[in-house]
């Protein structure tokens, strides 16, 4: 699960950096930041040394994603908005929401803690990538992005509480996240602002 | 103390996000980020799992503050600059400076550590909220904001060193922070830049 | 090693804040953030309480650097681009890359972990300073900045693996970092973007 997420997010992060014409070092950094920032934050929140600093496999997977992004940028016209990248992003989101929910449950945090860590694991990388690119994190503007991870993380907790096995809960979490995300992109879902709700006195 | 701070800061953060026309999810996130980022950073600095991920009460208080902000945005014309919000912000600042000083003292850090953690607890949430809103953190421009938390944290450390009880030190810390903050807002205090000090060779 | 880095980076951070006409409090904060953010992040990554919160000496060295920056801003025309500041920055980079490599090796992380922590220790402060100044972190645009710390950290790991003593590895790490950085500034080295490599289909 984590493996897929690492490759997918490194690919998406590097594609963004290529579009912004960052140099090769910047492309590698933004790709790795997107792949690892969410998971490293998750590990820090449950006070353990980030896995990426301990396992040589993790970093290799991230670099593989960076390499894929550079390859894609050569063969595709605008890779960062291409369906391949959008799908990779949705897959990464689902994979990391699930990984986060599993780690948080093992650390014994509250229900909110499980949902929060699943969401942070899923969206933390994208938020850091945007900050490195000097933009407001798109997760705050793209309505059904973080929300999808919240849905997945909540499903994981509900199923776990109802007595489902870890693998059942993980599959449902991943499927809910990716389906809601792809549906949101396809049908252009969005949440209303307070202004749109017509509640403000103008 | 912490309770008051959580509600107050969630209210202030959400009000900022409403003004920026963020959607409902963004409003909740900025409110919770402002309420919890300072405390979570404090907990990470003393290497413990953030309280907000463990206690269901904490998150409920944050959501109460977000709800208050949405209610206020309906009944007040410009809630984010309204006196209610300014006072809530000063209360949150004082409450979190005090909580930070208490936790830091228990963790056994140095005098600078106590003041630094009190200040980070107090201003960390506002700084993150600003970064999420893609603005330079106002704590660097509003002179007597972080300075008030520094004052409060220093008072806590001095009193603790002189042998005062924790509750005495806490009350003095909170009062110094809130009074200095409200005075700064009322009388528009500011610190000079190096340029204003007339020291630069133009 | 760490001592030199703290003074040098506090000096560079404060110089940047002075140019941006921050007030005195802001100048102190940006200086200290630049001096301590990298090391604090390093400590959090190996899950220990940041040294700066425990040792009164560390913070005094940071404040000394801030004081030097204010003094320099009075006697030099544009201190933030002056050779003194550029050299101080290169010294800080080398000192912190070395400190990071030593701490990471002691914590027993992987080869990538050693290089990553050395680099984060070296460039984390500058990146945070830029975020506080509301700019895209220059480490992503200045090609041979973080790369120099990567070189130094890699050298440290290679020498350690080959059986060199800690002090030999430390000296080589520091020398490689500072020499590559000063050479990059002097000869205006840069890495190519993917666009410049001529690989993209236009």
């Amino acid at each position: 699960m984590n493996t897929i997420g690492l490759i997918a997010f490194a690919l998406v992060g590097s594609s963004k950096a290529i579009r912004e014409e960052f140099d090769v070092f910047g492309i590698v950094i933004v790709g790795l930041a997107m792949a690892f920032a969410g998971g490293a934050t998750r590990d820090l929140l449950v006070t353990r040394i980030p896995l990426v600093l301990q396992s040589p496999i993790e970093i290799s997977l991230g670099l593989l994603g960076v390499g894929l992004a550079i390859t894609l940028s050569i063969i595709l016209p605008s890779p960062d908005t291409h369906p391949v990248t959008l799908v990779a992003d949705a897959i990464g989101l689902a994979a990391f929401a699930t990984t986060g929910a599993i780690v948080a449950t093992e650390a014994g945090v509250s229900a909110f803690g499980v949902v929060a860590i699943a969401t942070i694991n899923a969206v933390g990388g994208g938020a850091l990538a945007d900050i490195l690119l000097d933009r407001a994190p798109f997760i705050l503007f793209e309505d059904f992005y973080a929300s999808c991870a919240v849905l997945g993380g909540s499903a994981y907790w509900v199923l776990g509480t109802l007595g489902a096995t870890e693998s059942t809960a993980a599959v449902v979490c991943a499927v809910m996240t990716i389906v809601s995300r792809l549906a949101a992109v396809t049908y252009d879902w969005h949440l209303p602002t307070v202004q749109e709700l017509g509640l403000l006195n103008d």
Side-chain angles (χ1 to χ4, degrees), chain A:
Chain A
M1 196 65 93
N2 200 35
T3 304
I4 302 166
L6 289 175
I7 300 174
F9 263 23
L11 166 61
V12 176
S14 291
S15 296
K16 290 184 185 194
I18 290 171
R19 186 198 45 206
E20 300 281 329
E21 308 204 1
F22 276 36
D23 67 54
V24 174
F25 186 81
I27 292 166
V28 174
I29 292 298
V30 177
L32 296 183
M34 179 136 180
F36 296 114
T41 308
R42 172 203 66 210
D43 286 339
L44 292 180
L45 289 173
V46 300
T47 64
R48 68 178 198 193
I49 297 184
L51 201 56
V52 58
L53 297 177
Q54 298 186 291
S55 147
I57 299 166
E58 295 249 318
I59 188 67
S60 314
L61 294 170
L63 291 173
L64 175 58
V66 173
L68 283 176
I70 294 175
T71 311
L72 274 181
S73 76
I74 298 168
I75 59 177
L76 292 179
S78 52
D80 64 304
T81 53
H82 194 274
V84 169
T85 312
L86 287 176
V87 171
D89 192 53
I91 291 171
L93 191 73
F96 281 159
T98 310
T99 309
I102 294 171
V103 171
T105 304
E106 280 166 5
V109 299
S110 69
F112 170 73
V114 171
V115 177
I117 290 178
T119 308
I120 287 168
N121 198 158
V123 309
L128 178 60
D130 282 348
I131 290 173
L132 292 176
L133 298 164
D134 201 22
R135 305 190 299 197
F138 74 98
I139 58 159
L140 291 176
F141 298 102
E142 184 118 3
D143 304 321
F144 277 90
Y145 189 80
S147 315
C148 303
V150 170
L151 272 179
S154 306
Y156 188 94
W157 180 78
V158 168
L159 287 173
T161 307
L162 295 177
T165 63
E166 186 187 296
S167 48
T168 309
V171 169
V172 174
C173 171
V175 170
M176 280 201 63
T177 306
I178 199 167
V179 169
S180 60
R181 176 60 189 152
L182 290 179
V185 170
T186 309
Y187 301 110
D188 201 20
W189 287 354
H190 76 287
L191 293 169
T193 62
V194 169
Q195 283 81 355
E196 288 172 357
L197 288 174
L199 298 171
L200 290 185
N201 46 350
D202 295 311

